[in-house]
Amino acid sequence: MVNDKMVNKKALALLLDPEKADLSRLTFSPEACPDYIFVGGSTGGDTTAFVRALKDRLSAQAGLGRPPVILFPGNAAQFTPEADGILFLSLLSGTNPEYLVGQQIRSARAIRDSQIRSISTAYILIDGGVETSTMRVTGTLPLNPGSAEGIQTIIDTCIAAELMGKEAIYLEAGSGAKTPISSDIIAAVRSHTSATLIVGGGIRTPEAMNAAYAAGADIVVIGNHFESHPEELKDFIKDLKDSKDPKASATDERFMRLALAEAQKALQKDEIPIGCVIVSQGQIIGRGHNLTETLADVTAHAEMQAITAASQTVGGKYLPDSTLYVTVEPCPMCAGAIGWAQINRIVYGAPDPKRGYTTYAPRVFHPKSSVSNGVLEDECRALMQRFFISKRKSGLSPQNGIFR
C-alpha cells in the first residue's frame, strides 16, 4: 500500500473499528470499494473474528477486486495474522515510551512470524479540535498547528520520522475531529518528506478529500463518516475515480485493447487471461500472453513473453524508448525484468493487491521510468473475474486464489 505514491495513485482507505463497525450496513461492489480497508481502534474488539468476517463479506460482494485489509492497531493485542498487512505504528507526536516502542516490542515476533506485510509508519496526532480516544489511552497531546512554531514542530517530526526509516507518515486529526488537517500543513509536510503521506480525521465531504490530495496526501482515511453514512461510500469513490482517472488517452486505450486481445488468447488456452504489448515510436515491437500452463513454466508470464519478443525485434536487451501495456499489475518477477530492460513507461489496467509489485517491490523499476494505471481497468478486471468464476463453477480452484 505504501507504494501508491510511487505509481502516482491517490488512494482512499476505509477505517473500521471492530468494536463499533456494523458490517451488515456496508455494501461493497467493484464500483463501490475503497482501495484499502484499515481495521483497528484505540481500545479493543475481537480483531481476528472481525477481519475474517470482513474478508468473507468483501470476497462475496467485491469479488477478485477485494481491497487489502490493513491493520491499524491501537495495541499489540489487536494484531491478527488474518489481515493482509499492518501499519507498524510508532506514536511520534508524544513521548510515551509504551507507544513509541513498548507495544511494538510485544507484537514484533508474532508479526514477523506471520510474514504479513509490515509498513513502518510514524503516527502523528495533529490537533483537530476535540479530545480523541488516542489521546486518552496514550496520555499524550497532539501537535498544535496554530502557530509558526507548532507548524515547524510538525514538519521536523515528519523529517525525523523519515530519517528513522519510516515508510509512511500518518497525520491524524483524530476520530470525530471538528476540522481536518489543513491543506497548508499537508503541503508543508509533503515539501519536506518523500514518505507515503496518509491523512485522516475530520474528512466528511469529497471536497475535503480532494483538498487533501491536492495538497500532497497519497492516502486519505475516512472512518466515522462512513460508519454513520455508509451509503455515501460510493459517491466518494466515484468522485475520487473521476479526479484521479481522467479519460485515458486514445493512444493508451488503443494499445491496452491490443493487450486485452493478447489476454483473450491466453483465455482460449485456459491460461489466466493476462496480455501485454510493448510499443516504441507508435509501433508494437513485442507482444505476449500468459503461458505458464502451456509451457509448464512459472516464469512464462505475459510481460516476460513480450520483453523477449521486443528484445529480439530491436536486437538488444535494453528497451529505453518504449512503453509496456499489460492488463494486470505486474508481479515482482515481471517488474524486475521490466526494470532491467529499462522500459521507459509502464501502463497497467487492473491492480493486483495480493501479488502485485507495489506490495512487494515498489522501487524495482528504473528510476526514470513512469507508471500509469487504471486504463480500461474495468474491462481488464472483468476478464479476470470471468475466468476465476468459471473455474469455481467447474470445481477447480486457482492456486492461492491469486491472479497468476
mmCIF file of all heavy atoms in Angstrom, residues 193-245:
data_model
loop_
_atom_site.group_PDB
_atom_site.id
_atom_site.type_symbol
_atom_site.label_atom_id
_atom_site.label_comp_id
_atom_site.label_asym_id
_atom_site.label_seq_id
_atom_site.Cartn_x
_atom_site.Cartn_y
_atom_site.Cartn_z
ATOM 1 N N THR A 193 9.252 15.892 2.889
ATOM 2 C CA THR A 193 9.425 14.443 3.006
ATOM 3 C C THR A 193 8.972 13.746 1.730
ATOM 4 O O THR A 193 8.150 14.273 0.975
ATOM 5 C CB THR A 193 8.616 13.864 4.182
ATOM 6 O OG1 THR A 193 7.225 14.041 3.924
ATOM 7 C CG2 THR A 193 8.985 14.531 5.491
ATOM 8 N N SER A 194 9.511 12.553 1.521
ATOM 9 C CA SER A 194 9.111 11.759 0.352
ATOM 10 C C SER A 194 8.394 10.481 0.755
ATOM 11 O O SER A 194 8.015 9.692 -0.103
ATOM 12 C CB SER A 194 10.348 11.407 -0.489
ATOM 13 O OG SER A 194 11.290 10.663 0.276
ATOM 14 N N ALA A 195 8.202 10.249 2.055
ATOM 15 C CA ALA A 195 7.490 9.061 2.507
ATOM 16 C C ALA A 195 6.038 9.122 2.062
ATOM 17 O O ALA A 195 5.497 10.187 1.779
ATOM 18 C CB ALA A 195 7.553 8.958 4.039
ATOM 19 N N THR A 196 5.407 7.957 1.977
ATOM 20 C CA THR A 196 3.980 7.919 1.671
ATOM 21 C C THR A 196 3.227 8.683 2.751
ATOM 22 O O THR A 196 3.425 8.449 3.937
ATOM 23 C CB THR A 196 3.484 6.469 1.603
ATOM 24 O OG1 THR A 196 4.103 5.829 0.481
ATOM 25 C CG2 THR A 196 1.975 6.413 1.443
ATOM 26 N N LEU A 197 2.374 9.612 2.344
ATOM 27 C CA LEU A 197 1.692 10.502 3.281
ATOM 28 C C LEU A 197 0.225 10.098 3.406
ATOM 29 O O LEU A 197 -0.545 10.177 2.444
ATOM 30 C CB LEU A 197 1.820 11.949 2.815
ATOM 31 C CG LEU A 197 1.304 13.037 3.764
ATOM 32 C CD1 LEU A 197 1.958 12.914 5.137
ATOM 33 C CD2 LEU A 197 1.566 14.422 3.167
ATOM 34 N N ILE A 198 -0.148 9.665 4.607
ATOM 35 C CA ILE A 198 -1.508 9.254 4.923
ATOM 36 C C ILE A 198 -2.145 10.344 5.780
ATOM 37 O O ILE A 198 -1.528 10.829 6.726
ATOM 38 C CB ILE A 198 -1.511 7.911 5.680
ATOM 39 C CG1 ILE A 198 -0.703 6.851 4.909
ATOM 40 C CG2 ILE A 198 -2.925 7.419 5.922
ATOM 41 C CD1 ILE A 198 -0.470 5.576 5.703
ATOM 42 N N VAL A 199 -3.379 10.703 5.453
ATOM 43 C CA VAL A 199 -4.055 11.789 6.176
ATOM 44 C C VAL A 199 -5.455 11.317 6.570
ATOM 45 O O VAL A 199 -6.195 10.765 5.742
ATOM 46 C CB VAL A 199 -4.158 13.058 5.313
ATOM 47 C CG1 VAL A 199 -4.965 14.130 6.033
ATOM 48 C CG2 VAL A 199 -2.759 13.583 4.970
ATOM 49 N N GLY A 200 -5.823 11.541 7.835
ATOM 50 C CA GLY A 200 -7.143 11.132 8.287
ATOM 51 C C GLY A 200 -7.670 12.035 9.382
ATOM 52 O O GLY A 200 -6.938 12.822 9.984
ATOM 53 N N GLY A 201 -8.982 11.906 9.644
ATOM 54 C CA GLY A 201 -9.612 12.655 10.722
ATOM 55 C C GLY A 201 -10.386 13.858 10.243
ATOM 56 O O GLY A 201 -9.815 14.757 9.619
ATOM 57 N N GLY A 202 -11.694 13.877 10.482
ATOM 58 C CA GLY A 202 -12.496 15.052 10.193
ATOM 59 C C GLY A 202 -12.857 15.265 8.740
ATOM 60 O O GLY A 202 -13.376 16.320 8.387
ATOM 61 N N ILE A 203 -12.608 14.283 7.883
ATOM 62 C CA ILE A 203 -12.905 14.429 6.450
ATOM 63 C C ILE A 203 -14.303 13.857 6.203
ATOM 64 O O ILE A 203 -14.542 12.659 6.353
ATOM 65 C CB ILE A 203 -11.847 13.721 5.596
ATOM 66 C CG1 ILE A 203 -10.480 14.389 5.818
ATOM 67 C CG2 ILE A 203 -12.225 13.757 4.118
ATOM 68 C CD1 ILE A 203 -9.323 13.680 5.157
ATOM 69 N N ARG A 204 -15.229 14.717 5.796
ATOM 70 C CA ARG A 204 -16.639 14.320 5.685
ATOM 71 C C ARG A 204 -17.242 14.576 4.314
ATOM 72 O O ARG A 204 -18.392 14.206 4.069
ATOM 73 C CB ARG A 204 -17.470 15.069 6.737
ATOM 74 C CG ARG A 204 -17.021 14.818 8.174
ATOM 75 C CD ARG A 204 -17.865 15.616 9.160
ATOM 76 N NE ARG A 204 -17.433 15.388 10.536
ATOM 77 C CZ ARG A 204 -16.471 16.077 11.140
ATOM 78 N NH1 ARG A 204 -15.850 17.059 10.474
ATOM 79 N NH2 ARG A 204 -16.125 15.811 12.384
ATOM 80 N N THR A 205 -16.484 15.200 3.422
ATOM 81 C CA THR A 205 -17.021 15.514 2.094
ATOM 82 C C THR A 205 -15.984 15.167 1.022
ATOM 83 O O THR A 205 -14.779 15.172 1.286
ATOM 84 C CB THR A 205 -17.371 17.004 1.962
ATOM 85 O OG1 THR A 205 -16.148 17.777 2.046
ATOM 86 C CG2 THR A 205 -18.336 17.444 3.059
ATOM 87 N N PRO A 206 -16.448 14.897 -0.202
ATOM 88 C CA PRO A 206 -15.498 14.689 -1.295
ATOM 89 C C PRO A 206 -14.590 15.893 -1.513
ATOM 90 O O PRO A 206 -13.427 15.731 -1.891
ATOM 91 C CB PRO A 206 -16.407 14.434 -2.506
ATOM 92 C CG PRO A 206 -17.672 13.888 -1.928
ATOM 93 C CD PRO A 206 -17.837 14.624 -0.623
ATOM 94 N N GLU A 207 -15.118 17.081 -1.261
ATOM 95 C CA GLU A 207 -14.304 18.291 -1.437
ATOM 96 C C GLU A 207 -13.130 18.305 -0.459
ATOM 97 O O GLU A 207 -11.997 18.652 -0.846
ATOM 98 C CB GLU A 207 -15.164 19.539 -1.238
ATOM 99 C CG GLU A 207 -16.201 19.781 -2.324
ATOM 100 C CD GLU A 207 -17.414 18.857 -2.223
ATOM 101 O OE1 GLU A 207 -17.625 18.238 -1.146
ATOM 102 O OE2 GLU A 207 -18.146 18.745 -3.217
ATOM 103 N N ALA A 208 -13.383 17.919 0.799
ATOM 104 C CA ALA A 208 -12.299 17.858 1.781
ATOM 105 C C ALA A 208 -11.298 16.779 1.417
ATOM 106 O O ALA A 208 -10.079 16.952 1.586
ATOM 107 C CB ALA A 208 -12.877 17.607 3.172
ATOM 108 N N MET A 209 -11.786 15.660 0.925
ATOM 109 C CA MET A 209 -10.901 14.582 0.477
ATOM 110 C C MET A 209 -9.999 15.060 -0.660
ATOM 111 O O MET A 209 -8.775 14.875 -0.627
ATOM 112 C CB MET A 209 -11.744 13.393 0.018
ATOM 113 C CG MET A 209 -10.963 12.254 -0.618
ATOM 114 S SD MET A 209 -12.038 10.919 -1.246
ATOM 115 C CE MET A 209 -12.795 11.750 -2.669
ATOM 116 N N ASN A 210 -10.590 15.688 -1.661
ATOM 117 C CA ASN A 210 -9.807 16.137 -2.808
ATOM 118 C C ASN A 210 -8.850 17.264 -2.447
ATOM 119 O O ASN A 210 -7.777 17.393 -3.049
ATOM 120 C CB ASN A 210 -10.742 16.560 -3.942
ATOM 121 C CG ASN A 210 -11.403 15.366 -4.614
ATOM 122 O OD1 ASN A 210 -10.797 14.310 -4.754
ATOM 123 N ND2 ASN A 210 -12.653 15.533 -5.021
ATOM 124 N N ALA A 211 -9.205 18.071 -1.447
ATOM 125 C CA ALA A 211 -8.291 19.118 -0.988
ATOM 126 C C ALA A 211 -7.042 18.496 -0.370
ATOM 127 O O ALA A 211 -5.920 19.000 -0.562
ATOM 128 C CB ALA A 211 -8.994 20.021 0.019
ATOM 129 N N ALA A 212 -7.222 17.407 0.359
ATOM 130 C CA ALA A 212 -6.075 16.718 0.947
ATOM 131 C C ALA A 212 -5.177 16.143 -0.143
ATOM 132 O O ALA A 212 -3.944 16.236 -0.073
ATOM 133 C CB ALA A 212 -6.549 15.615 1.892
ATOM 134 N N TYR A 213 -5.788 15.546 -1.159
ATOM 135 C CA TYR A 213 -4.989 15.023 -2.270
ATOM 136 C C TYR A 213 -4.227 16.140 -2.973
ATOM 137 O O TYR A 213 -3.040 15.999 -3.292
ATOM 138 C CB TYR A 213 -5.879 14.311 -3.289
ATOM 139 C CG TYR A 213 -6.475 13.008 -2.824
ATOM 140 C CD1 TYR A 213 -7.831 12.757 -2.979
ATOM 141 C CD2 TYR A 213 -5.683 12.023 -2.244
ATOM 142 C CE1 TYR A 213 -8.392 11.560 -2.568
ATOM 143 C CE2 TYR A 213 -6.236 10.820 -1.832
ATOM 144 C CZ TYR A 213 -7.591 10.600 -1.990
ATOM 145 O OH TYR A 213 -8.130 9.420 -1.591
ATOM 146 N N ALA A 214 -4.925 17.238 -3.238
ATOM 147 C CA ALA A 214 -4.298 18.347 -3.958
ATOM 148 C C ALA A 214 -3.113 18.908 -3.187
ATOM 149 O O ALA A 214 -2.139 19.383 -3.784
ATOM 150 C CB ALA A 214 -5.336 19.443 -4.218
ATOM 151 N N ALA A 215 -3.171 18.848 -1.851
ATOM 152 C CA ALA A 215 -2.077 19.367 -1.028
ATOM 153 C C ALA A 215 -0.903 18.403 -0.945
ATOM 154 O O ALA A 215 0.188 18.809 -0.527
ATOM 155 C CB ALA A 215 -2.588 19.674 0.374
ATOM 156 N N GLY A 216 -1.116 17.145 -1.316
ATOM 157 C CA GLY A 216 0.006 16.199 -1.314
ATOM 158 C C GLY A 216 -0.245 14.877 -0.623
ATOM 159 O O GLY A 216 0.667 14.034 -0.558
ATOM 160 N N ALA A 217 -1.453 14.653 -0.102
ATOM 161 C CA ALA A 217 -1.740 13.363 0.539
ATOM 162 C C ALA A 217 -1.759 12.262 -0.508
ATOM 163 O O ALA A 217 -2.271 12.443 -1.609
ATOM 164 C CB ALA A 217 -3.078 13.413 1.264
ATOM 165 N N ASP A 218 -1.202 11.114 -0.143
ATOM 166 C CA ASP A 218 -1.236 9.950 -1.018
ATOM 167 C C ASP A 218 -2.434 9.063 -0.711
ATOM 168 O O ASP A 218 -3.049 8.488 -1.613
ATOM 169 C CB ASP A 218 0.048 9.128 -0.862
ATOM 170 C CG ASP A 218 1.278 9.927 -1.216
ATOM 171 O OD1 ASP A 218 1.326 10.444 -2.341
ATOM 172 O OD2 ASP A 218 2.184 10.048 -0.372
ATOM 173 N N ILE A 219 -2.757 8.936 0.569
ATOM 174 C CA ILE A 219 -3.872 8.111 1.014
ATOM 175 C C ILE A 219 -4.707 8.925 2.001
ATOM 176 O O ILE A 219 -4.167 9.477 2.958
ATOM 177 C CB ILE A 219 -3.387 6.810 1.679
ATOM 178 C CG1 ILE A 219 -2.538 5.991 0.704
ATOM 179 C CG2 ILE A 219 -4.566 5.974 2.178
ATOM 180 C CD1 ILE A 219 -1.850 4.796 1.337
ATOM 181 N N VAL A 220 -5.992 8.999 1.754
ATOM 182 C CA VAL A 220 -6.920 9.653 2.683
ATOM 183 C C VAL A 220 -7.712 8.567 3.397
ATOM 184 O O VAL A 220 -8.202 7.626 2.775
ATOM 185 C CB VAL A 220 -7.863 10.621 1.939
ATOM 186 C CG1 VAL A 220 -9.018 11.045 2.839
ATOM 187 C CG2 VAL A 220 -7.093 11.845 1.458
ATOM 188 N N VAL A 221 -7.830 8.705 4.712
ATOM 189 C CA VAL A 221 -8.524 7.724 5.541
ATOM 190 C C VAL A 221 -9.811 8.345 6.089
ATOM 191 O O VAL A 221 -9.788 9.438 6.654
ATOM 192 C CB VAL A 221 -7.634 7.263 6.715
ATOM 193 C CG1 VAL A 221 -8.354 6.193 7.540
ATOM 194 C CG2 VAL A 221 -6.303 6.728 6.204
ATOM 195 N N ILE A 222 -10.922 7.643 5.904
ATOM 196 C CA ILE A 222 -12.212 8.095 6.426
ATOM 197 C C ILE A 222 -12.838 6.945 7.197
ATOM 198 O O ILE A 222 -12.947 5.830 6.666
ATOM 199 C CB ILE A 222 -13.150 8.562 5.298
ATOM 200 C CG1 ILE A 222 -12.484 9.689 4.492
ATOM 201 C CG2 ILE A 222 -14.488 9.028 5.872
ATOM 202 C CD1 ILE A 222 -13.306 10.164 3.314
ATOM 203 N N GLY A 223 -13.236 7.221 8.435
ATOM 204 C CA GLY A 223 -13.806 6.175 9.266
ATOM 205 C C GLY A 223 -15.191 6.509 9.772
ATOM 206 O O GLY A 223 -16.191 5.984 9.304
ATOM 207 N N ASN A 224 -15.264 7.407 10.758
ATOM 208 C CA ASN A 224 -16.534 7.740 11.393
ATOM 209 C C ASN A 224 -17.637 8.100 10.403
ATOM 210 O O ASN A 224 -18.790 7.690 10.544
ATOM 211 C CB ASN A 224 -16.349 8.908 12.370
ATOM 212 C CG ASN A 224 -15.938 8.430 13.743
ATOM 213 O OD1 ASN A 224 -15.650 7.259 13.931
ATOM 214 N ND2 ASN A 224 -15.911 9.339 14.694
ATOM 215 N N HIS A 225 -17.299 8.875 9.397
ATOM 216 C CA HIS A 225 -18.324 9.351 8.477
ATOM 217 C C HIS A 225 -18.976 8.190 7.733
ATOM 218 O O HIS A 225 -20.207 8.160 7.574
ATOM 219 C CB HIS A 225 -17.715 10.335 7.479
ATOM 220 C CG HIS A 225 -18.738 10.953 6.573
ATOM 221 N ND1 HIS A 225 -19.623 11.916 6.997
ATOM 222 C CD2 HIS A 225 -19.038 10.714 5.270
ATOM 223 C CE1 HIS A 225 -20.413 12.265 6.001
ATOM 224 N NE2 HIS A 225 -20.085 11.532 4.941
ATOM 225 N N PHE A 226 -18.173 7.235 7.279
ATOM 226 C CA PHE A 226 -18.744 6.116 6.540
ATOM 227 C C PHE A 226 -19.453 5.124 7.459
ATOM 228 O O PHE A 226 -20.367 4.417 7.032
ATOM 229 C CB PHE A 226 -17.669 5.404 5.727
ATOM 230 C CG PHE A 226 -17.181 6.185 4.535
ATOM 231 C CD1 PHE A 226 -15.875 6.080 4.108
ATOM 232 C CD2 PHE A 226 -18.042 7.027 3.853
ATOM 233 C CE1 PHE A 226 -15.426 6.799 3.008
ATOM 234 C CE2 PHE A 226 -17.602 7.761 2.752
ATOM 235 C CZ PHE A 226 -16.297 7.637 2.327
ATOM 236 N N GLU A 227 -19.010 5.050 8.715
ATOM 237 C CA GLU A 227 -19.734 4.198 9.657
ATOM 238 C C GLU A 227 -21.136 4.747 9.905
ATOM 239 O O GLU A 227 -22.094 3.986 10.079
ATOM 240 C CB GLU A 227 -18.964 4.076 10.967
ATOM 241 C CG GLU A 227 -17.692 3.227 10.846
ATOM 242 C CD GLU A 227 -16.922 3.131 12.146
ATOM 243 O OE1 GLU A 227 -17.297 3.823 13.111
ATOM 244 O OE2 GLU A 227 -15.949 2.370 12.205
ATOM 245 N N SER A 228 -21.266 6.080 9.891
ATOM 246 C CA SER A 228 -22.571 6.718 10.096
ATOM 247 C C SER A 228 -23.360 6.848 8.797
ATOM 248 O O SER A 228 -24.592 6.819 8.805
ATOM 249 C CB SER A 228 -22.389 8.109 10.714
ATOM 250 O OG SER A 228 -21.693 8.040 11.939
ATOM 251 N N HIS A 229 -22.648 7.000 7.684
ATOM 252 C CA HIS A 229 -23.299 7.211 6.384
ATOM 253 C C HIS A 229 -22.697 6.265 5.338
ATOM 254 O O HIS A 229 -22.062 6.704 4.371
ATOM 255 C CB HIS A 229 -23.119 8.662 5.934
ATOM 256 C CG HIS A 229 -23.582 9.681 6.927
ATOM 257 N ND1 HIS A 229 -24.907 10.023 7.089
ATOM 258 C CD2 HIS A 229 -22.882 10.407 7.847
ATOM 259 C CE1 HIS A 229 -25.011 10.933 8.036
ATOM 260 N NE2 HIS A 229 -23.803 11.185 8.523
ATOM 261 N N PRO A 230 -22.889 4.964 5.491
ATOM 262 C CA PRO A 230 -22.270 4.004 4.556
ATOM 263 C C PRO A 230 -22.739 4.174 3.124
ATOM 264 O O PRO A 230 -22.015 3.823 2.190
ATOM 265 C CB PRO A 230 -22.697 2.643 5.120
ATOM 266 C CG PRO A 230 -23.922 2.923 5.928
ATOM 267 C CD PRO A 230 -23.708 4.278 6.515
ATOM 268 N N GLU A 231 -23.913 4.739 2.950
ATOM 269 C CA GLU A 231 -24.453 4.913 1.599
ATOM 270 C C GLU A 231 -23.646 5.929 0.782
ATOM 271 O O GLU A 231 -23.733 5.958 -0.455
ATOM 272 C CB GLU A 231 -25.918 5.354 1.664
ATOM 273 C CG GLU A 231 -26.164 6.775 2.120
ATOM 274 C CD GLU A 231 -26.058 6.969 3.640
ATOM 275 O OE1 GLU A 231 -25.853 5.958 4.357
ATOM 276 O OE2 GLU A 231 -26.174 8.120 4.106
ATOM 277 N N GLU A 232 -22.819 6.753 1.453
ATOM 278 C CA GLU A 232 -22.047 7.769 0.739
ATOM 279 C C GLU A 232 -20.712 7.251 0.215
ATOM 280 O O GLU A 232 -20.017 7.968 -0.517
ATOM 281 C CB GLU A 232 -21.814 8.982 1.654
ATOM 282 C CG GLU A 232 -23.088 9.735 2.004
ATOM 283 C CD GLU A 232 -22.818 11.018 2.753
ATOM 284 O OE1 GLU A 232 -21.656 11.480 2.747
ATOM 285 O OE2 GLU A 232 -23.761 11.573 3.351
ATOM 286 N N LEU A 233 -20.353 6.028 0.586
ATOM 287 C CA LEU A 233 -19.066 5.480 0.157
ATOM 288 C C LEU A 233 -18.951 5.492 -1.363
ATOM 289 O O LEU A 233 -17.920 5.878 -1.926
ATOM 290 C CB LEU A 233 -18.902 4.064 0.697
ATOM 291 C CG LEU A 233 -17.635 3.301 0.274
ATOM 292 C CD1 LEU A 233 -16.385 4.041 0.725
ATOM 293 C CD2 LEU A 233 -17.654 1.885 0.842
ATOM 294 N N LYS A 234 -20.021 5.077 -2.031
ATOM 295 C CA LYS A 234 -19.998 5.015 -3.493
ATOM 296 C C LYS A 234 -19.755 6.384 -4.108
ATOM 297 O O LYS A 234 -19.017 6.517 -5.094
ATOM 298 C CB LYS A 234 -21.312 4.415 -4.004
ATOM 299 C CG LYS A 234 -21.343 4.165 -5.505
ATOM 300 C CD LYS A 234 -22.615 3.443 -5.904
ATOM 301 C CE LYS A 234 -22.624 3.137 -7.400
ATOM 302 N NZ LYS A 234 -23.854 2.382 -7.792
ATOM 303 N N ASP A 235 -20.361 7.421 -3.533
ATOM 304 C CA ASP A 235 -20.192 8.769 -4.073
ATOM 305 C C ASP A 235 -18.754 9.251 -3.926
ATOM 306 O O ASP A 235 -18.202 9.881 -4.839
ATOM 307 C CB ASP A 235 -21.134 9.740 -3.362
ATOM 308 C CG ASP A 235 -22.610 9.431 -3.630
ATOM 309 O OD1 ASP A 235 -22.898 8.861 -4.694
ATOM 310 O OD2 ASP A 235 -23.444 9.753 -2.768
ATOM 311 N N PHE A 236 -18.142 8.978 -2.773
ATOM 312 C CA PHE A 236 -16.745 9.367 -2.570
ATOM 313 C C PHE A 236 -15.840 8.666 -3.573
ATOM 314 O O PHE A 236 -14.935 9.284 -4.145
ATOM 315 C CB PHE A 236 -16.304 9.023 -1.144
ATOM 316 C CG PHE A 236 -16.606 10.071 -0.116
ATOM 317 C CD1 PHE A 236 -17.908 10.253 0.339
ATOM 318 C CD2 PHE A 236 -15.606 10.870 0.407
ATOM 319 C CE1 PHE A 236 -18.208 11.217 1.292
ATOM 320 C CE2 PHE A 236 -15.888 11.836 1.363
ATOM 321 C CZ PHE A 236 -17.194 12.010 1.811
ATOM 322 N N ILE A 237 -16.076 7.381 -3.762
ATOM 323 C CA ILE A 237 -15.210 6.610 -4.658
ATOM 324 C C ILE A 237 -15.378 7.076 -6.093
ATOM 325 O O ILE A 237 -14.400 7.189 -6.836
ATOM 326 C CB ILE A 237 -15.508 5.107 -4.519
ATOM 327 C CG1 ILE A 237 -15.037 4.643 -3.139
ATOM 328 C CG2 ILE A 237 -14.830 4.301 -5.612
ATOM 329 C CD1 ILE A 237 -15.462 3.256 -2.762
ATOM 330 N N LYS A 238 -16.600 7.363 -6.492
ATOM 331 C CA LYS A 238 -16.813 7.879 -7.846
ATOM 332 C C LYS A 238 -16.114 9.210 -8.027
ATOM 333 O O LYS A 238 -15.472 9.454 -9.065
ATOM 334 C CB LYS A 238 -18.308 8.033 -8.120
ATOM 335 C CG LYS A 238 -18.615 8.523 -9.540
ATOM 336 C CD LYS A 238 -20.109 8.685 -9.769
ATOM 337 C CE LYS A 238 -20.388 9.087 -11.214
ATOM 338 N NZ LYS A 238 -19.712 10.334 -11.605
ATOM 339 N N ASP A 239 -16.203 10.069 -7.028
ATOM 340 C CA ASP A 239 -15.552 11.371 -7.108
ATOM 341 C C ASP A 239 -14.038 11.215 -7.207
ATOM 342 O O ASP A 239 -13.375 11.902 -7.992
ATOM 343 C CB ASP A 239 -15.907 12.206 -5.879
ATOM 344 C CG ASP A 239 -15.617 13.684 -6.095
ATOM 345 O OD1 ASP A 239 -16.481 14.376 -6.633
ATOM 346 O OD2 ASP A 239 -14.503 14.119 -5.734
ATOM 347 N N LEU A 240 -13.485 10.285 -6.418
ATOM 348 C CA LEU A 240 -12.045 10.033 -6.452
ATOM 349 C C LEU A 240 -11.632 9.481 -7.804
ATOM 350 O O LEU A 240 -10.639 9.913 -8.398
ATOM 351 C CB LEU A 240 -11.659 9.060 -5.341
ATOM 352 C CG LEU A 240 -10.217 8.530 -5.367
ATOM 353 C CD1 LEU A 240 -9.221 9.677 -5.297
ATOM 354 C CD2 LEU A 240 -9.995 7.560 -4.217
ATOM 355 N N LYS A 241 -12.407 8.524 -8.307
ATOM 356 C CA LYS A 241 -12.064 7.912 -9.594
ATOM 357 C C LYS A 241 -12.103 8.934 -10.712
ATOM 358 O O LYS A 241 -11.239 8.962 -11.580
ATOM 359 C CB LYS A 241 -13.030 6.766 -9.900
ATOM 360 C CG LYS A 241 -12.648 5.965 -11.136
ATOM 361 C CD LYS A 241 -13.545 4.755 -11.301
ATOM 362 C CE LYS A 241 -13.093 3.931 -12.504
ATOM 363 N NZ LYS A 241 -13.915 2.718 -12.696
ATOM 364 N N ASP A 242 -13.102 9.813 -10.671
ATOM 365 C CA ASP A 242 -13.203 10.844 -11.701
ATOM 366 C C ASP A 242 -12.025 11.804 -11.651
ATOM 367 O O ASP A 242 -11.554 12.289 -12.680
ATOM 368 C CB ASP A 242 -14.507 11.632 -11.537
ATOM 369 C CG ASP A 242 -15.732 10.805 -11.894
ATOM 370 O OD1 ASP A 242 -15.573 9.748 -12.532
ATOM 371 O OD2 ASP A 242 -16.848 11.217 -11.518
ATOM 372 N N SER A 243 -11.533 12.083 -10.432
ATOM 373 C CA SER A 243 -10.457 13.062 -10.286
ATOM 374 C C SER A 243 -9.088 12.473 -10.581
ATOM 375 O O SER A 243 -8.213 13.139 -11.109
ATOM 376 C CB SER A 243 -10.457 13.656 -8.876
ATOM 377 O OG SER A 243 -10.105 12.670 -7.921
ATOM 378 N N LYS A 244 -8.908 11.190 -10.228
ATOM 379 C CA LYS A 244 -7.571 10.611 -10.405
ATOM 380 C C LYS A 244 -7.428 9.869 -11.716
ATOM 381 O O LYS A 244 -6.325 9.542 -12.133
ATOM 382 C CB LYS A 244 -7.261 9.661 -9.250
ATOM 383 C CG LYS A 244 -7.957 8.307 -9.327
ATOM 384 C CD LYS A 244 -7.550 7.430 -8.165
ATOM 385 C CE LYS A 244 -8.227 6.073 -8.222
ATOM 386 N NZ LYS A 244 -7.839 5.203 -7.108
ATOM 387 N N ASP A 245 -8.550 9.577 -12.384
ATOM 388 C CA ASP A 245 -8.509 8.778 -13.590
ATOM 389 C C ASP A 245 -9.298 9.471 -14.694
ATOM 390 O O ASP A 245 -10.338 8.991 -15.116
ATOM 391 C CB ASP A 245 -9.097 7.386 -13.306
ATOM 392 C CG ASP A 245 -8.956 6.452 -14.494
ATOM 393 O OD1 ASP A 245 -8.029 6.676 -15.281
ATOM 394 O OD2 ASP A 245 -9.773 5.511 -14.627
#
